[in-house]
Amino acid sequence: MEIAVVGGGATGLVAALRLTQKGYRVTVFEKENQLGGLASSFKAEGWDWPVERYFHHYFVSDKALKGLARELKLEKKLFYLEPKTSVYLEDQIFRFDNPQSLLSFPKLNLIDKLRTGLTTLFLKLNPFWQPLQDISAAEFIQKTMGKNTFRLIWQPLLQSKFGAFADQIPASWFWTRLKKRSFALGYFIGGSETLFGALSDKIRENGGQILLGQAVTRIQKTATGFTLYLQGQPSKLKFDKVIATVPPADLVKIAPDLSVADKKALNSLKGLGSLCLILSLKESFLTEGTYWLNINDRRFPFVAVVEQTNLVAKKHYQDQTLLYVGGYYPTTHPFFQQNKTALWQKFLPYLKEINPVFDFDRNLLRLWLFKDGYTQPVVLLNQSGKPPPITTSIPGLYWACLHHVYPEDRGVNYAILLGEKVTNEAIA
């Protein structure tokens, strides 16, 4: 049986790996010239390691990732560190990532701290997320952690991350955000490209094909199987089944023969895009060693500042400091129409507020800008709580995307699990 996989991110590659291991003939079509999807990387001249286009790390609880790393003999290349996570609040930076930093946090009183700590412990121990999908995260946090904690810590993040949807996000999202987090964060020697390189090598070793720079523009069911159109032209390859690992809107475009009900369901799914401006600097910007800085100030046009080189040593990037500045935005946001120079001018005044003494004129070496229109699925309060079906109205066409990892948020670990799931459904 010939099976096509559309998309060379983690889900598509894991699906291709499992299919080839079971003896199926598989061809992966990836529109970009590199694998990895949202976890793909780039490498500047002089760097030893590439770096992801959007900040990525792994948690100790990521069992699927660790299992795949063992299978691919990468376990010794996956390391864990305990970098500092902080919040920018009322013009100051405060560490906020462990019990000690919570107890010393000056903006909360003792009762607020106890309630916050106990709620965090409850969510980490509680395996039952289903009841939490019927209450908003905002209401849940205010009832459990208190209104002051919500106002200072969580309300700014909900608003920055989800915008107009902030008050409609269920507490099940909050559950997964706290339950899966770990003090230690993981990273591969050589970055995520190490994982995707090993996956692609294994797929090819098993007889699979991976075609880069091949954008699938249409999936057509015929009497004898499927024909895929590449840049508008029919491919000579024929397939018995197709697994599409693409955003909902893209599936509607490339599979026009889907039923009206399928298209309506796909178009009803909500999501946000991401934008990351990456800075190469001569010196450290977050000078107190913070890796991840949450911006708890709604005035700011970005939600996080992440200093990659406070997690990974500078020596791998030619002794340069790498800084991510970005956030989540609807695709209608004007930022998606702006180039890196315009966005840099927009972001610069706010970065100067974070560190007023940092001299960007002297320290800035280079800028990169990456955008993607679908990176954050949005599942709203009082929705069914079930992910969309993997099977479609076209027999033999299967679909997997970020919306299928609910109640989890997103991440390579859950993309791996989704690759396993879509494979099992496709060959059942």
Side-chain angles (χ1 to χ4, degrees), residues 1-7 15 19 25-27 29 216 218-222 225-229 237-246 251 254-255 390-392 394-400 422-423 425-427:
M1 186 181 291
E2 296 275 0
I3 300 179
V5 176
V6 181
L19 289 167
R25 292 193 291 262
V26 179
T27 303
F29 295 86
V216 174
R218 183 175 179 182
I219 300 170
Q220 183 179 48
K221 181 72 180 286
T222 68
F226 286 91
T227 297
L228 268 56
Y229 286 71
L237 300 172
K238 303 297 179 183
F239 300 96
D240 300 290
K241 294 185 177 182
V242 177
I243 295 174
T245 62
V246 299
L251 185 65
I254 67 175
I390 285 175
T391 56
T392 73
I394 301 176
L397 173 61
Y398 303 86
W399 171 59
V422 70
T423 298
E425 291 212 25
I427 63 176

Side-chain angles (χ1 to χ4, degrees), residues 375-388:
T375 61
Q376 176 62 59
V378 177
V379 178
L380 301 179
L381 188 66
N382 297 324
Q383 292 186 339
S384 68
K386 294 172 62 178

Side-chain angles (χ1 to χ4, degrees), residues 166-414:
D167 293 335
Q168 303 174 64
I169 301 302
S172 50
W173 168 83
F174 190 61
W175 169 84
T176 192
R177 183 176 178 89
L178 291 189
K179 184 174 181 61
K180 305 298 182 179
R181 263 51 183 180
S182 57
F183 298 138
L185 301 180
Y187 199 75
F188 281 102
I189 293 174
S192 297
E193 196 169 285
T194 296
L195 174 65
F196 299 122
L199 273 170
S200 61
D201 288 346
K202 201 66 176 176
I203 292 165
R204 291 185 175 106
E205 182 183 315
N206 293 345
Q209 287 190 86
I210 297 176
L211 304 179
L212 299 177
Q214 298 294 320
V216 174
T217 55
R218 183 175 179 182
I219 300 170
Q220 183 179 48
K221 181 72 180 286
T222 68
T224 56
F226 286 91
T227 297
L228 268 56
Y229 286 71
L230 307 176
Q231 287 86 31
Q233 299 299 316
S235 168
K236 294 180 180 180
L237 300 172
K238 303 297 179 183
F239 300 96
D240 300 290
K241 294 185 177 182
V242 177
I243 295 174
T245 62
V246 299
D250 288 358
L251 185 65
V252 172
K253 291 177 183 176
I254 67 175
D257 297 329
L258 287 167
S259 69
V260 173
D262 265 11
K263 291 178 182 178
K264 182 178 179 180
L266 288 163
N267 288 327
S268 71
L269 297 176
K270 295 177 173 57
L272 297 170
S274 285
L275 179 150
C276 261
L277 194 64
I278 302 177
L279 286 60
S280 170
L281 305 168
K282 293 179 182 178
E283 298 176 1
S284 175
F285 175 75
L286 297 175
T287 53
E288 306 228 347
T290 291
Y291 161 62
W292 187 293
L293 182 65
N294 284 316
I295 305 300
N296 286 40
D297 189 327
R298 286 289 292 138
R299 296 180 301 110
F300 279 57
F302 46 83
V303 68
V305 177
V306 179
E307 190 159 318
Q308 171 76 1
T309 39
N310 281 336
L311 174 68
V312 178
K314 289 183 179 183
K315 65 181 181 181
H316 301 300
Y317 310 107
Q318 209 176 25
D319 289 324
Q320 298 167 15
T321 292
L322 296 186
L323 193 75
Y324 292 94
V325 186
Y328 300 91
Y329 313 90
T331 54
T332 55
H333 197 286
F335 282 177
F336 279 98
Q337 306 303 319
Q338 295 179 3
N339 60 27
K340 65 181 181 182
T341 302
L343 283 169
W344 170 238
Q345 293 304 316
K346 177 70 173 177
F347 288 177
L348 180 57
Y350 297 94
L351 290 170
K352 287 182 176 179
E353 286 192 40
I354 296 172
N355 186 347
V357 301
F358 193 82
D359 187 347
F360 281 102
D361 290 334
R362 184 175 64 85
N363 277 287
L364 182 62
L365 296 171
R366 193 169 175 185
L367 289 171
W368 296 268
L369 174 63
F370 297 100
K371 308 173 186 177
D372 198 285
Y374 177 74
T375 61
Q376 176 62 59
V378 177
V379 178
L380 301 179
L381 188 66
N382 297 324
Q383 292 186 339
S384 68
K386 294 172 62 178
I390 285 175
T391 56
T392 73
S393 56
I394 301 176
L397 173 61
Y398 303 86
W399 171 59
C401 77
L402 288 173
H403 268 87
H404 289 100
V405 305
Y406 182 85
E408 308 301 345
D409 199 22
R410 65 191 185 288
V412 172
N413 184 71
Y414 307 113

Side-chain angles (χ1 to χ4, degrees), residues 1-73:
M1 186 181 291
E2 296 275 0
I3 300 179
V5 176
V6 181
T11 296
L13 292 176
V14 169
L17 174 66
R18 297 304 179 218
L19 289 167
T20 58
Q21 287 173 333
K22 294 176 185 296
Y24 295 95
R25 292 193 291 262
V26 179
T27 303
V28 178
F29 295 86
E30 169 53 49
K31 66 179 181 180
E32 305 294 340
N33 289 316
Q34 61 185 134
L35 298 170
L38 293 175
S40 63
S41 306
F42 73 100
K43 185 178 179 182
E45 185 178 353
W47 293 359
D48 296 327
W49 291 8
V51 72
E52 291 77 11
R53 296 181 300 137
Y54 305 101
F55 34 80
H56 273 79
H57 54 241
Y58 308 104
F59 299 116
V60 174
S61 61
D62 286 346
K63 294 180 180 179
L65 174 84
K66 292 194 284 189
L68 183 61
R70 285 194 298 271
E71 179 182 343
L72 298 173
K73 296 181 170 51

